[in-house]
Amino acid sequence: QLFSNHFAKVAQKGQERIKQTKNAIIEAVDSDISVLAQAIPTLSHIIGKLDIAPVHVSAAELENRFNFIFEKFVRAIATPSHPIVLYLDDLQWADASSLNLIKTLVMDTKNKNFLFVGAFRDDEVNDEHPLACQLQFIGESVSITRIKTTNISKASMNDFVSDILQMSPSSTTSLAELVYRKTGGNGLIATQFIQTLWYEGSLYFLLDSNKWTWDIKAVEAKSIPEDAVELLVEKILQLPSAARYILQYLSCIGSSCHESTLGLITGQVLVSVPFPALDMIIEEGLLIKEGIEYKFAHDQIQLAAYSLIPVNKRDCVHLQIGSMILKHASKERMDSVIFIAVDQLNRGTKFITDEDQKVQLANLNLRAGEKAMSLGTFSSAVAYLKSGIDLLEIDSWATIYDLSLRLHSSYAESLYSIGHFSEISQAVSKILVSAKATGDKLPAYLTLIKAVAAQNKAAEAVQIALKILDELGEPVATSRKTKEELIGILFYTNKQFEGMTKDEIMELKRMENPDKIAAMKILDELCIYVYFLEEVLVIAIITRMMQLTLMHGICEASSCAFATCAFFLVDSDREGARHNGDLALSIVERLHVQNSLPRVYASYYGGVHHAIERTENALEYHMKAYDVGMRVGDITYAVLNGYFYCAKSFLCGKELVSLKKECESILEAATKYKQESPKTMLLPILHAILTLLSQSDISLQKEMISSEPKLKRKQAGVWFFWRLLVAYIYCDYDVATHMLEKKREVEKGLIRRFSVCDTIDFWEGLVFLAMAKKTEEKKWIRCIQESLSNVRNQARISSVNFRHRLLLLEAETASITGDVKNAANRYEIAVNAFDEYGYTNEQAIAYERAGDFFASQHDERAPQYYGKAQALYMKWGAQGKAD
């Protein structure tokens, strides 16, 4: 509503301001502006007519999507010349979705032209209150200024009274002291008390002397109620009945009411036939009119007006208001007042006895619930959908099946979105018992799987998914097959697609069997949980997804199957991996399935692309996937692509200061949206960057210390990889060796060890060579030969990414064997290759190793190589290393 009012005002500022605002919004959110259209109707005054594009994503993804787009939207309209200050009162009543949106805006460190001010009653907020929890979370990343307000002091009360009466403070002391003593310094009560004194004639204006005066004895004798509500009730009771009637109706609606909504309730068009009573209420200071909006001047005024409705008649009044809105609202208008109408009708349900009327209201609750979900306000959605369910009769699944199914399915999904995981099982169980077809059960099953996984019960989530797949006739069993056998079956299945071009794959029929489509969705969802639990099972899942595609046609999930298959093929069949990647990308592009793009890009560009093309070429695709993932609400895969971007940028020698900012931004998103797994993988990268910049971050170090004991095997491998790199760069070879050994230990038995762009063999080779030089122990030779062999294979597959690395390893190997002449020649060739193909950081390492070699030979070329290495470290931004 605040932003709607804002744009109504902007629309009156002239064409130049409208054009500037429109261009800024379109540049920031582009086609996603439709996501905001329902929440901010007056946007059409700036942008023009908006078409609401349907978004086929889950409820949780919808909230993430809305919040991300809203964040970019606010960033666009808040400018140095037109900064935005957003003030919200009574935050103690804010629901979870509203608090999440506030958190998103407040934690946007890129927006320097936005200030949020919030107020709440601290006596209603304890440590467990949602607001307190959010403030604690926000405070860990953003500085919060807390201002505790109290009643007006005695001295300030005199200033307050003198301002109201436009008199000098010295002349108002006697009145101010009485007002302070009777009101205790409560600003609202003091204001109303002064108005009452004027209304009753104890405070009056003398025309002769042109100043206010008062009857001090009458003021002294005036008694006032103990609280503000009682005082306000007295004042409202003195108003004409028409004014009281309006105030009571408005109090049922909330703190504010649109002029046209008030017209629906009263059956009048207020623009052409204004209520004289409204002007009187505004003059009395009880209501404020802002444009076409009526607001209570204070929430205590609303409470006082509502208290005048007898308790036993309140629900009936609410029902009457809702019925009036339904009666007078056109079909077009109904969508904008659906929340108010349904809120009012729900308060009066005990007076509804007709079955048809109950079904009608259940349908209205579904409509309101689904609209609330589309706006990302899931706490409200839960309330509407639960009210709709409560209106259903026991036999509703037999008599109104579609309504019952939609209410229960949406209710379960909304519960998941607000994190009420313990209640989801009960909500889902009703669907699983009553739904007629497996396809009708699918949304509930998917919600249940995600809810269980969100509670760190990935193994349980996998078991639920496997059970559903059994019901769908697609059992996944691996117990009778070895890892080698499963890989063999995957390769055999993949051969069926080998000859297919991108055009031919798109000529396959579209998958139509609802059970098979459901199975593909479950299998796709299952992959991310299984990957961290039982990697072998992923191969069985991907194999089955490809088999289903072959037999029943392509669907959205087919793109993810081909991309993941490419990930497992790349080590043994580069061309097969490239082909599968092309098929996956083609399906995403031609089926226009943007929802799958982040997942496909994470698998293909994250795990395959580096074996085919130059590593840095993937960076733009990871950033695209990050942006698309945030826009469609797939935060998990968005942040995973963000991780790949940071990791590859580091290895590609991107300037560390700018990379630090990008890494912090992506880590901020991971923290904000509670993406613990990718966040855990980002932490050691940022730590590595800070170490090389010769900077420190105490909070980051504490977070890493607290996170380390909770690491899963693959995550631990990530941490040891980055520590290995930093230790090697700083020539701390003992630590690098220790990290290498720990990494190998935690990754025993995995199909693929963790690496970024398969560089682990290169880095391990450098560490082995350093230890061989340091200790002269023979045991390192075998390790060196293994690394050399692996990097040779990689250089054959992807010369552009590995040939220069191989040349450095060969030069280092020649140096430890005592072949001085050959080593010198190889170092010259290696540094030249790094100049041509390498990145700044790797160039620096190559020059430093060459410098070490020539220094050991007392060769005058050593200072030249060391100087070049230092210059390259400085260019990279590694101040700590350069020093």
Side-chain angles (χ1 to χ4, degrees), residues 289-337:
K289 188 169 189 236
E290 294 183 353
I292 51 177
E293 196 84 13
Y294 291 97
K295 291 181 167 184
F296 281 102
H298 196 282
D299 62 354
Q300 296 293 303
I301 300 171
Q302 179 191 351
L303 188 60
Y306 192 70
S307 71
L308 289 171
I309 305 172
V311 174
N312 62 343
K313 292 184 178 179
R314 288 177 185 174
D315 291 345
C316 191
V317 172
H318 282 292
L319 181 62
Q320 183 183 356
I321 292 172
S323 299
M324 291 290 285
I325 294 174
L326 279 182
K327 178 181 177 182
H328 293 121
S330 64
K331 286 184 178 180
E332 294 76 19
R333 179 82 174 101
M334 191 62 205
D335 190 58
S336 63
V337 294

Short mmCIF file of all heavy atoms in Angstrom, two decimals, residues 289-337:
data_model
loop_
_atom_site.label_atom_id
_atom_site.label_comp_id
_atom_site.label_asym_id
_atom_site.label_seq_id
_atom_site.Cartn_x
_atom_site.Cartn_y
_atom_site.Cartn_z
N LYS A 289 -6.86 11.68 6.06
CA LYS A 289 -7.10 11.34 4.65
C LYS A 289 -5.84 11.63 3.86
O LYS A 289 -5.35 12.76 3.82
CB LYS A 289 -8.27 12.15 4.08
CG LYS A 289 -8.65 11.65 2.68
CD LYS A 289 -9.97 12.24 2.20
CE LYS A 289 -10.38 11.53 0.91
NZ LYS A 289 -10.59 12.40 -0.20
N GLU A 290 -5.29 10.57 3.26
CA GLU A 290 -4.12 10.70 2.41
C GLU A 290 -4.51 10.26 1.01
O GLU A 290 -4.64 9.08 0.73
CB GLU A 290 -2.96 9.83 2.92
CG GLU A 290 -2.40 10.29 4.26
CD GLU A 290 -1.21 9.46 4.70
OE1 GLU A 290 -0.91 8.45 4.01
OE2 GLU A 290 -0.60 9.81 5.72
N GLY A 291 -4.72 11.22 0.13
CA GLY A 291 -5.17 10.90 -1.22
C GLY A 291 -6.56 10.28 -1.18
O GLY A 291 -7.53 10.93 -0.78
N ILE A 292 -6.65 9.02 -1.58
CA ILE A 292 -7.95 8.32 -1.57
C ILE A 292 -7.95 7.25 -0.49
O ILE A 292 -8.65 6.25 -0.58
CB ILE A 292 -8.24 7.70 -2.96
CG1 ILE A 292 -7.06 6.87 -3.45
CG2 ILE A 292 -8.59 8.78 -3.96
CD1 ILE A 292 -7.31 6.18 -4.77
N GLU A 293 -7.16 7.49 0.54
CA GLU A 293 -7.02 6.52 1.63
C GLU A 293 -7.41 7.18 2.95
O GLU A 293 -6.99 8.31 3.25
CB GLU A 293 -5.57 6.03 1.71
CG GLU A 293 -5.37 4.78 2.52
CD GLU A 293 -5.63 3.53 1.70
OE1 GLU A 293 -5.73 3.63 0.47
OE2 GLU A 293 -5.74 2.47 2.32
N TYR A 294 -8.26 6.49 3.74
CA TYR A 294 -8.60 6.95 5.08
C TYR A 294 -7.83 6.11 6.09
O TYR A 294 -7.83 4.88 6.01
CB TYR A 294 -10.10 6.83 5.34
CG TYR A 294 -10.95 7.78 4.53
CD1 TYR A 294 -11.56 7.38 3.35
CD2 TYR A 294 -11.13 9.11 4.94
CE1 TYR A 294 -12.33 8.25 2.59
CE2 TYR A 294 -11.90 9.99 4.20
CZ TYR A 294 -12.51 9.56 3.02
OH TYR A 294 -13.26 10.44 2.28
N LYS A 295 -7.18 6.80 7.05
CA LYS A 295 -6.38 6.08 8.05
C LYS A 295 -6.75 6.56 9.45
O LYS A 295 -7.01 7.75 9.66
CB LYS A 295 -4.88 6.36 7.85
CG LYS A 295 -4.28 5.75 6.62
CD LYS A 295 -2.79 6.11 6.60
CE LYS A 295 -2.05 5.29 5.57
NZ LYS A 295 -0.60 5.57 5.62
N PHE A 296 -6.75 5.63 10.39
CA PHE A 296 -6.89 6.03 11.78
C PHE A 296 -5.62 6.76 12.20
O PHE A 296 -4.51 6.33 11.87
CB PHE A 296 -7.10 4.81 12.69
CG PHE A 296 -8.52 4.28 12.67
CD1 PHE A 296 -8.84 3.16 11.93
CD2 PHE A 296 -9.52 4.93 13.39
CE1 PHE A 296 -10.14 2.68 11.91
CE2 PHE A 296 -10.82 4.45 13.38
CZ PHE A 296 -11.14 3.33 12.63
N ALA A 297 -5.81 7.86 12.92
CA ALA A 297 -4.66 8.66 13.34
C ALA A 297 -3.77 7.89 14.32
O ALA A 297 -2.58 8.19 14.45
CB ALA A 297 -5.13 9.97 13.97
N HIS A 298 -4.34 6.92 15.01
CA HIS A 298 -3.58 6.10 15.96
C HIS A 298 -4.30 4.77 16.13
O HIS A 298 -5.53 4.71 16.03
CB HIS A 298 -3.47 6.83 17.31
CG HIS A 298 -2.41 6.28 18.21
ND1 HIS A 298 -2.60 5.13 18.94
CD2 HIS A 298 -1.16 6.72 18.50
CE1 HIS A 298 -1.50 4.88 19.65
NE2 HIS A 298 -0.61 5.83 19.40
N ASP A 299 -3.54 3.71 16.37
CA ASP A 299 -4.19 2.40 16.50
C ASP A 299 -5.12 2.33 17.72
O ASP A 299 -6.06 1.54 17.75
CB ASP A 299 -3.16 1.26 16.53
CG ASP A 299 -2.21 1.35 17.71
OD1 ASP A 299 -2.26 2.34 18.45
OD2 ASP A 299 -1.40 0.41 17.87
N GLN A 300 -4.86 3.19 18.74
CA GLN A 300 -5.74 3.20 19.91
C GLN A 300 -7.13 3.77 19.55
O GLN A 300 -8.13 3.41 20.18
CB GLN A 300 -5.11 4.03 21.03
CG GLN A 300 -3.81 3.46 21.57
CD GLN A 300 -4.02 2.14 22.29
OE1 GLN A 300 -4.79 2.06 23.25
NE2 GLN A 300 -3.36 1.08 21.84
N ILE A 301 -7.17 4.64 18.54
CA ILE A 301 -8.45 5.17 18.08
C ILE A 301 -9.26 4.05 17.43
O ILE A 301 -10.47 3.91 17.66
CB ILE A 301 -8.24 6.34 17.10
CG1 ILE A 301 -7.46 7.47 17.79
CG2 ILE A 301 -9.57 6.84 16.55
CD1 ILE A 301 -7.02 8.58 16.85
N GLN A 302 -8.57 3.24 16.61
CA GLN A 302 -9.24 2.09 15.99
C GLN A 302 -9.77 1.14 17.07
O GLN A 302 -10.91 0.66 17.00
CB GLN A 302 -8.26 1.34 15.08
CG GLN A 302 -8.88 0.11 14.42
CD GLN A 302 -7.84 -0.77 13.74
OE1 GLN A 302 -6.68 -0.40 13.62
NE2 GLN A 302 -8.26 -1.95 13.30
N LEU A 303 -8.94 0.89 18.08
CA LEU A 303 -9.35 -0.01 19.17
C LEU A 303 -10.55 0.55 19.92
O LEU A 303 -11.48 -0.19 20.29
CB LEU A 303 -8.16 -0.22 20.12
CG LEU A 303 -8.31 -1.26 21.22
CD1 LEU A 303 -8.58 -2.64 20.63
CD2 LEU A 303 -7.05 -1.29 22.09
N ALA A 304 -10.54 1.85 20.14
CA ALA A 304 -11.66 2.48 20.85
C ALA A 304 -12.96 2.36 20.05
O ALA A 304 -14.02 2.04 20.59
CB ALA A 304 -11.34 3.95 21.13
N ALA A 305 -12.89 2.63 18.74
CA ALA A 305 -14.08 2.53 17.88
C ALA A 305 -14.60 1.09 17.86
O ALA A 305 -15.81 0.85 17.91
CB ALA A 305 -13.73 3.00 16.48
N TYR A 306 -13.68 0.14 17.79
CA TYR A 306 -14.10 -1.28 17.75
C TYR A 306 -14.73 -1.72 19.06
O TYR A 306 -15.67 -2.52 19.07
CB TYR A 306 -12.88 -2.15 17.43
CG TYR A 306 -13.23 -3.58 17.08
CD1 TYR A 306 -13.87 -3.88 15.88
CD2 TYR A 306 -12.92 -4.63 17.93
CE1 TYR A 306 -14.19 -5.18 15.54
CE2 TYR A 306 -13.23 -5.94 17.61
CZ TYR A 306 -13.87 -6.21 16.41
OH TYR A 306 -14.19 -7.50 16.09
N SER A 307 -14.25 -1.15 20.16
CA SER A 307 -14.78 -1.54 21.47
C SER A 307 -16.23 -1.12 21.66
O SER A 307 -16.94 -1.65 22.53
CB SER A 307 -13.92 -0.94 22.59
OG SER A 307 -14.10 0.47 22.67
N LEU A 308 -16.71 -0.17 20.83
CA LEU A 308 -18.09 0.30 20.92
C LEU A 308 -19.08 -0.69 20.30
O LEU A 308 -20.29 -0.55 20.47
CB LEU A 308 -18.22 1.67 20.25
CG LEU A 308 -17.56 2.83 21.01
CD1 LEU A 308 -17.57 4.09 20.16
CD2 LEU A 308 -18.25 3.06 22.35
N ILE A 309 -18.56 -1.65 19.54
CA ILE A 309 -19.43 -2.70 18.99
C ILE A 309 -19.59 -3.77 20.05
O ILE A 309 -18.58 -4.33 20.51
CB ILE A 309 -18.83 -3.32 17.71
CG1 ILE A 309 -18.51 -2.23 16.67
CG2 ILE A 309 -19.77 -4.36 17.12
CD1 ILE A 309 -17.74 -2.74 15.47
N PRO A 310 -20.80 -4.09 20.48
CA PRO A 310 -20.98 -5.13 21.51
C PRO A 310 -20.29 -6.43 21.09
O PRO A 310 -20.34 -6.83 19.92
CB PRO A 310 -22.50 -5.30 21.58
CG PRO A 310 -23.05 -4.00 21.10
CD PRO A 310 -22.09 -3.51 20.06
N VAL A 311 -19.63 -7.08 22.04
CA VAL A 311 -18.85 -8.28 21.75
C VAL A 311 -19.69 -9.33 21.05
O VAL A 311 -19.24 -9.97 20.09
CB VAL A 311 -18.24 -8.85 23.06
CG1 VAL A 311 -17.54 -10.18 22.78
CG2 VAL A 311 -17.27 -7.85 23.68
N ASN A 312 -20.95 -9.52 21.50
CA ASN A 312 -21.79 -10.57 20.93
C ASN A 312 -22.32 -10.23 19.53
O ASN A 312 -22.95 -11.06 18.88
CB ASN A 312 -22.95 -10.89 21.87
CG ASN A 312 -23.87 -9.70 22.08
OD1 ASN A 312 -23.49 -8.55 21.80
ND2 ASN A 312 -25.07 -9.95 22.58
N LYS A 313 -22.04 -9.00 19.06
CA LYS A 313 -22.51 -8.61 17.73
C LYS A 313 -21.36 -8.40 16.72
O LYS A 313 -21.62 -8.14 15.54
CB LYS A 313 -23.34 -7.32 17.83
CG LYS A 313 -24.66 -7.50 18.56
CD LYS A 313 -25.46 -6.21 18.54
CE LYS A 313 -26.82 -6.40 19.23
NZ LYS A 313 -27.61 -5.14 19.23
N ARG A 314 -20.13 -8.50 17.21
CA ARG A 314 -19.00 -8.17 16.34
C ARG A 314 -18.90 -9.08 15.13
O ARG A 314 -18.72 -8.61 14.00
CB ARG A 314 -17.69 -8.21 17.14
CG ARG A 314 -17.56 -7.04 18.11
CD ARG A 314 -16.31 -7.13 18.95
NE ARG A 314 -16.30 -6.05 19.94
CZ ARG A 314 -15.39 -5.94 20.90
NH1 ARG A 314 -14.42 -6.84 21.01
NH2 ARG A 314 -15.45 -4.93 21.76
N ASP A 315 -18.99 -10.38 15.35
CA ASP A 315 -18.87 -11.31 14.22
C ASP A 315 -19.97 -11.09 13.20
O ASP A 315 -19.75 -11.22 11.99
CB ASP A 315 -18.90 -12.76 14.73
CG ASP A 315 -17.64 -13.12 15.50
OD1 ASP A 315 -16.66 -12.37 15.40
OD2 ASP A 315 -17.65 -14.15 16.22
N CYS A 316 -21.15 -10.73 13.69
CA CYS A 316 -22.27 -10.46 12.79
C CYS A 316 -22.01 -9.20 11.95
O CYS A 316 -22.33 -9.16 10.76
CB CYS A 316 -23.55 -10.29 13.61
SG CYS A 316 -25.04 -10.28 12.62
N VAL A 317 -21.40 -8.19 12.57
CA VAL A 317 -21.05 -6.96 11.85
C VAL A 317 -20.01 -7.26 10.78
O VAL A 317 -20.10 -6.77 9.64
CB VAL A 317 -20.55 -5.88 12.82
CG1 VAL A 317 -20.01 -4.66 12.05
CG2 VAL A 317 -21.66 -5.44 13.78
N HIS A 318 -19.01 -8.07 11.13
CA HIS A 318 -17.99 -8.47 10.14
C HIS A 318 -18.64 -9.17 8.95
O HIS A 318 -18.31 -8.89 7.78
CB HIS A 318 -16.96 -9.40 10.79
CG HIS A 318 -15.95 -8.70 11.64
ND1 HIS A 318 -15.00 -7.86 11.13
CD2 HIS A 318 -15.76 -8.71 13.00
CE1 HIS A 318 -14.24 -7.40 12.13
NE2 HIS A 318 -14.69 -7.89 13.26
N LEU A 319 -19.57 -10.08 9.23
CA LEU A 319 -20.27 -10.80 8.17
C LEU A 319 -21.06 -9.84 7.29
O LEU A 319 -21.07 -9.96 6.06
CB LEU A 319 -21.19 -11.86 8.78
CG LEU A 319 -21.98 -12.73 7.79
CD1 LEU A 319 -21.04 -13.53 6.91
CD2 LEU A 319 -22.94 -13.65 8.53
N GLN A 320 -21.69 -8.86 7.92
CA GLN A 320 -22.47 -7.87 7.19
C GLN A 320 -21.56 -7.06 6.26
O GLN A 320 -21.91 -6.81 5.10
CB GLN A 320 -23.18 -6.94 8.18
CG GLN A 320 -24.09 -5.91 7.52
CD GLN A 320 -24.71 -4.96 8.54
OE1 GLN A 320 -24.53 -5.13 9.75
NE2 GLN A 320 -25.45 -3.97 8.06
N ILE A 321 -20.39 -6.66 6.75
CA ILE A 321 -19.45 -5.88 5.93
C ILE A 321 -18.99 -6.71 4.73
O ILE A 321 -18.99 -6.24 3.59
CB ILE A 321 -18.23 -5.45 6.78
CG1 ILE A 321 -18.66 -4.42 7.84
CG2 ILE A 321 -17.13 -4.86 5.88
CD1 ILE A 321 -17.57 -4.09 8.84
N GLY A 322 -18.61 -7.96 4.98
CA GLY A 322 -18.17 -8.83 3.89
C GLY A 322 -19.26 -9.04 2.86
O GLY A 322 -19.00 -9.05 1.64
N SER A 323 -20.48 -9.21 3.33
CA SER A 323 -21.61 -9.43 2.42
C SER A 323 -21.88 -8.19 1.57
O SER A 323 -22.21 -8.30 0.38
CB SER A 323 -22.86 -9.79 3.22
OG SER A 323 -22.65 -10.99 3.96
N MET A 324 -21.74 -7.01 2.17
CA MET A 324 -21.94 -5.76 1.43
C MET A 324 -20.88 -5.62 0.32
O MET A 324 -21.18 -5.18 -0.79
CB MET A 324 -21.86 -4.56 2.39
CG MET A 324 -23.03 -4.48 3.36
SD MET A 324 -24.59 -4.04 2.54
CE MET A 324 -24.33 -2.28 2.26
N ILE A 325 -19.65 -5.99 0.64
CA ILE A 325 -18.59 -5.90 -0.37
C ILE A 325 -18.90 -6.85 -1.52
O ILE A 325 -18.78 -6.50 -2.70
CB ILE A 325 -17.21 -6.21 0.25
CG1 ILE A 325 -16.82 -5.13 1.25
CG2 ILE A 325 -16.14 -6.34 -0.84
CD1 ILE A 325 -15.55 -5.42 2.02
N LEU A 326 -19.28 -8.09 -1.18
CA LEU A 326 -19.63 -9.07 -2.23
C LEU A 326 -20.79 -8.57 -3.09
O LEU A 326 -20.81 -8.76 -4.30
CB LEU A 326 -20.02 -10.40 -1.59
CG LEU A 326 -18.90 -11.35 -1.16
CD1 LEU A 326 -19.49 -12.63 -0.60
CD2 LEU A 326 -17.97 -11.68 -2.31
N LYS A 327 -21.74 -7.92 -2.46
CA LYS A 327 -22.94 -7.46 -3.16
C LYS A 327 -22.62 -6.33 -4.12
O LYS A 327 -23.14 -6.29 -5.25
CB LYS A 327 -23.98 -7.01 -2.13
CG LYS A 327 -25.26 -6.46 -2.75
CD LYS A 327 -26.24 -6.02 -1.66
CE LYS A 327 -27.50 -5.41 -2.27
NZ LYS A 327 -28.45 -4.94 -1.23
N HIS A 328 -21.77 -5.39 -3.71
CA HIS A 328 -21.56 -4.18 -4.48
C HIS A 328 -20.33 -4.21 -5.40
O HIS A 328 -20.22 -3.37 -6.30
CB HIS A 328 -21.44 -2.96 -3.56
CG HIS A 328 -22.70 -2.64 -2.82
ND1 HIS A 328 -22.78 -2.61 -1.45
CD2 HIS A 328 -23.96 -2.37 -3.27
CE1 HIS A 328 -24.02 -2.31 -1.09
NE2 HIS A 328 -24.75 -2.16 -2.18
N ALA A 329 -19.40 -5.15 -5.17
CA ALA A 329 -18.17 -5.17 -5.97
C ALA A 329 -18.41 -5.82 -7.33
O ALA A 329 -19.03 -6.88 -7.42
CB ALA A 329 -17.07 -5.91 -5.22
N SER A 330 -17.89 -5.20 -8.38
CA SER A 330 -17.95 -5.80 -9.71
C SER A 330 -16.93 -6.93 -9.78
O SER A 330 -16.07 -7.08 -8.91
CB SER A 330 -17.63 -4.75 -10.77
OG SER A 330 -16.29 -4.29 -10.60
N LYS A 331 -17.00 -7.74 -10.84
CA LYS A 331 -16.04 -8.83 -11.00
C LYS A 331 -14.61 -8.29 -11.07
O LYS A 331 -13.68 -8.88 -10.53
CB LYS A 331 -16.36 -9.63 -12.27
CG LYS A 331 -17.58 -10.53 -12.15
CD LYS A 331 -17.77 -11.35 -13.41
CE LYS A 331 -18.98 -12.29 -13.26
NZ LYS A 331 -19.19 -13.12 -14.49
N GLU A 332 -14.43 -7.17 -11.77
CA GLU A 332 -13.11 -6.59 -11.91
C GLU A 332 -12.61 -6.04 -10.57
O GLU A 332 -11.45 -6.19 -10.22
CB GLU A 332 -13.13 -5.44 -12.94
CG GLU A 332 -13.44 -5.88 -14.37
CD GLU A 332 -14.92 -6.20 -14.59
OE1 GLU A 332 -15.74 -5.75 -13.76
OE2 GLU A 332 -15.23 -6.89 -15.58
N ARG A 333 -13.50 -5.44 -9.81
CA ARG A 333 -13.13 -4.83 -8.52
C ARG A 333 -12.88 -5.90 -7.46
O ARG A 333 -12.08 -5.69 -6.55
CB ARG A 333 -14.26 -3.91 -8.08
CG ARG A 333 -14.04 -3.22 -6.74
CD ARG A 333 -13.17 -1.99 -6.89
NE ARG A 333 -13.08 -1.27 -5.65
CZ ARG A 333 -12.04 -1.34 -4.81
NH1 ARG A 333 -11.00 -2.08 -5.10
NH2 ARG A 333 -12.01 -0.64 -3.70
N MET A 334 -13.53 -7.05 -7.60
CA MET A 334 -13.47 -8.07 -6.56
C MET A 334 -12.04 -8.52 -6.28
O MET A 334 -11.68 -8.79 -5.12
CB MET A 334 -14.34 -9.28 -6.96
CG MET A 334 -14.56 -10.28 -5.83
SD MET A 334 -15.44 -9.53 -4.44
CE MET A 334 -14.89 -10.58 -3.12
N ASP A 335 -11.21 -8.60 -7.32
CA ASP A 335 -9.85 -9.08 -7.11
C ASP A 335 -9.06 -8.17 -6.18
O ASP A 335 -8.23 -8.63 -5.42
CB ASP A 335 -9.13 -9.21 -8.46
CG ASP A 335 -7.81 -9.94 -8.32
OD1 ASP A 335 -7.82 -11.09 -7.86
OD2 ASP A 335 -6.76 -9.34 -8.65
N SER A 336 -9.33 -6.87 -6.22
CA SER A 336 -8.57 -5.94 -5.39
C SER A 336 -9.09 -5.87 -3.96
O SER A 336 -8.39 -5.35 -3.08
CB SER A 336 -8.60 -4.54 -6.02
OG SER A 336 -9.92 -4.04 -6.06
N VAL A 337 -10.30 -6.37 -3.72
CA VAL A 337 -10.84 -6.34 -2.34
C VAL A 337 -11.06 -7.74 -1.78
O VAL A 337 -11.71 -7.90 -0.75
CB VAL A 337 -12.17 -5.54 -2.29
CG1 VAL A 337 -11.94 -4.08 -2.60
CG2 VAL A 337 -13.22 -6.15 -3.21
#
